[in-house]
Structures are given as structure tokens and as C-alpha cells.
Amino acid sequence: MEPLIRKIILATDFSEASQGAIGHAVWLAKSLQAELKVLHVFEPSGWMVPSPYYYTPGFEQWVDASLDKTRQAGKESLEALAESLDMQAESIFVEGPTAKEIVRVAAEHHADLLILGTHGYTGWNHLTLGSIAEYVVRHANCPVLTVKPRQIS
């Protein structure tokens, strides 16, 4: 019988919420002898800058330089994470709307399972911040495992 899960994609934003998902992804990949890919989505539109700065001389160059530095830091963090795992893992760095890119990459790579951390927001925070995990669960073509951060008592 063919294994159901051969390719796992771990989506990470390097937050504390995504840390728990890393352990689950590595454990499952090893247990199932599945291929593991680590994905980070860089979303430049997340940069919020007050409008008066748009008219400051040199603003565009400053933003471009800051975006390039942040993009590079994201790539380096992703590579470091992939190398730190106790197994072989490919890293995937893409840019765009986070939730849509996670779903797209999973389909493109024929993932059998997506794993991602969730902040576990409810109520007002969920409504105002939205939920990447919820979007991914609703739209991904494969099963999705969401991992809440551990509560320390």
C-alpha cells in the first residue's frame, strides 16, 4: 500500500506560534519517512508607513533598501531553520499574500500535508487580524495540521 503522506510542507513565519509546528513537522516527516519542505512567505505589503513619509526625498530608496535587507534576513532565517532540523529539508522562499501563497505552493509541490502554527486568536483579534491558518484550511487541496502555541501554566 502506497503511503498517504510522502511530502510535508511546514509553513513558518518564525514567530513563537510557529515554533511548535516545527517539532510536529519533523516528527511526522521522520515517522512517515516523508520529504519535508520548509516554506516562508515574505509579504512586502505588510509594511505600514505613515503617508507623510511618502513625500520625503529619498523615501523610495530607503524603502527599497529596507525591503531588500528584510527579504535577505528572511531568506537567511529560512536557510538556518532548514539546516537546524535533525533531517534533510528543502527551503522554499516566496513573496506575496501569505495565505494564498501557502496554498499555491502546496498545490505546486503536490504536498500531502501542510503544517503551520496558529496564534489561536479568537473574538475581536480574529476578526481584526484575520486568520492565515483558517484561509489555508479552507482552501488547501491537502490536509492541514494547525498547531497552537503551548500554554505555560
Side-chain angles (χ1 to χ4, degrees), residues 3-14:
L4 292 175
I5 299 175
R6 294 172 309 218
K7 290 182 184 177
I8 298 173
I9 293 182
L10 165 66
T12 183
D13 63 359
F14 311 115

Side-chain angles (χ1 to χ4, degrees), residues 65-114:
S66 293
L67 280 173
D68 287 343
K69 286 179 186 176
T70 304
R71 181 182 292 111
Q72 187 59 37
K75 288 178 181 179
E76 290 169 5
S77 294
L78 181 63
E79 288 296 324
L81 173 60
E83 290 173 10
S84 75
L85 302 177
D86 192 24
M87 65 177 298
Q88 183 75 16
E90 176 186 344
S91 62
I92 304 169
F93 184 92
V94 296
E95 292 187 38
T98 303
K100 289 181 180 182
E101 284 300 302
I102 292 171
V103 170
R104 182 191 65 77
V105 168
E108 183 179 289
H109 287 262
H110 308 289
D112 298 309
L113 178 65
L114 261 170

Side-chain angles (χ1 to χ4, degrees), residues 4-152:
L4 292 175
I5 299 175
R6 294 172 309 218
K7 290 182 184 177
I8 298 173
I9 293 182
L10 165 66
T12 183
D13 63 359
F14 311 115
S15 69
E16 187 176 322
S18 68
Q19 292 303 306
I22 295 168
H24 284 77
V26 170
W27 184 84
L28 279 168
K30 283 182 174 183
S31 298
L32 300 170
Q33 297 179 348
E35 178 182 347
L36 179 61
K37 298 180 182 204
V38 184
L39 167 66
H40 176 67
V41 180
F42 180 70
E43 188 170 358
S45 65
W47 283 66
M48 301 302 269
V49 179
S51 58
Y53 289 100
Y54 295 133
Y55 306 108
T56 302
F59 174 74
E60 282 187 26
Q61 293 82 4
W62 177 80
V63 168
D64 288 344
S66 293
L67 280 173
D68 287 343
K69 286 179 186 176
T70 304
R71 181 182 292 111
Q72 187 59 37
K75 288 178 181 179
E76 290 169 5
S77 294
L78 181 63
E79 288 296 324
L81 173 60
E83 290 173 10
S84 75
L85 302 177
D86 192 24
M87 65 177 298
Q88 183 75 16
E90 176 186 344
S91 62
I92 304 169
F93 184 92
V94 296
E95 292 187 38
T98 303
K100 289 181 180 182
E101 284 300 302
I102 292 171
V103 170
R104 182 191 65 77
V105 168
E108 183 179 289
H109 287 262
H110 308 289
D112 298 309
L113 178 65
L114 261 170
I115 300 176
L116 62 151
T118 178
H119 295 275
Y121 293 132
T122 58
W124 182 251
N125 283 335
H126 176 74
L127 290 173
T128 58
L129 298 173
S131 175
I132 290 170
E134 181 180 353
Y135 181 94
V136 171
V137 167
R138 290 180 185 270
H139 294 91
N141 291 331
C142 64
V144 178
L145 172 64
T146 60
V147 181
K148 287 184 183 179
R150 290 197 173 168
Q151 299 297 322
I152 300 173

